[in-house]
Amino acid sequence: GYVMQRQFLDTLFPFSVRDVVRMGRFGRKRAWQRLDREDRRYVGDALEITGMADLEDRLYRELSGGQRQRTLIARALASQPDVLLLDEPTNDMDVKGENQIMGLVRDIQRKTGVTIVLVSHLLHVVLNYAERLMFLADRRAHLYSIEELLSKDVLSRIYGFPIRVGQSEGKRYLISGD
């Protein structure tokens, strides 16, 4: 399942939340084949998991940014993915929205067991939700556990800039600069 960084759904069309999530099932159908009971069950499950079931009849164009993102995540989940790829899922959100989406991503992984790959430039946002982080630097991929980031000067080496990861009251935070 894939959720693009900037998803554009033309708001000219009166798609409901349910319509958008149903689109996630089309990849499993032949041309002109209708959705069946099983498809509707997966759509319903995806709406429930993402907290959008109560808004399924609402028009997509009337949703807030966070609700739209939840709807697009539900669409990806409805396709029954083995891997869920989220590209910058918290872009253009305030702090509360960032935390709500990241909490949702964590809950999806816990409830479904699906592998989640999340791309983000916002390290401070994902730091408290990820088990492992991969950094792309110098044409190489560097994979680290959270424990490694907490115990070493890894981020400073990767970014070539002083960065420390701290922990307080069970939450991780970044301190950057001299």
Side-chain angles (χ1 to χ4, degrees), residues 24-41:
R25 297 300 298 167
F26 294 156
R28 296 187 164 273
K29 296 296 191 185
R30 291 189 304 272
W32 310 110
Q33 189 178 11
R34 297 182 67 121
L35 298 183
D36 59 24
R37 180 178 293 145
E38 181 182 36
D39 295 312
R40 288 189 295 276
R41 183 173 60 81

Side-chain angles (χ1 to χ4, degrees), residues 152-165:
K152 297 180 182 175
D153 212 20
V154 173
L155 292 176
S156 296
R157 286 195 313 271
I158 290 172
Y159 286 99
F161 182 79
I163 299 175
R164 289 189 341 237
V165 178

Side-chain angles (χ1 to χ4, degrees), residues 26-92:
F26 294 156
R28 296 187 164 273
K29 296 296 191 185
R30 291 189 304 272
W32 310 110
Q33 189 178 11
R34 297 182 67 121
L35 298 183
D36 59 24
R37 180 178 293 145
E38 181 182 36
D39 295 312
R40 288 189 295 276
R41 183 173 60 81
Y42 282 111
V43 167
D45 290 349
L47 287 165
E48 284 292 330
I49 289 170
T50 57
M52 293 302 293
D54 291 343
L55 300 175
E56 69 180 321
D57 293 322
R58 187 107 148 305
L59 292 179
Y60 180 80
R61 65 179 168 216
E62 296 174 354
L63 301 177
S64 70
Q67 291 168 333
R68 286 183 182 193
Q69 190 68 313
R70 285 176 177 271
T71 300
L72 298 174
I73 293 170
R75 180 182 66 180
L77 283 176
S79 70
Q80 296 174 264
D82 293 323
V83 176
L84 182 60
L85 177 59
L86 305 173
D87 189 5
E88 302 278 1
T90 61
N91 268 12
D92 303 325

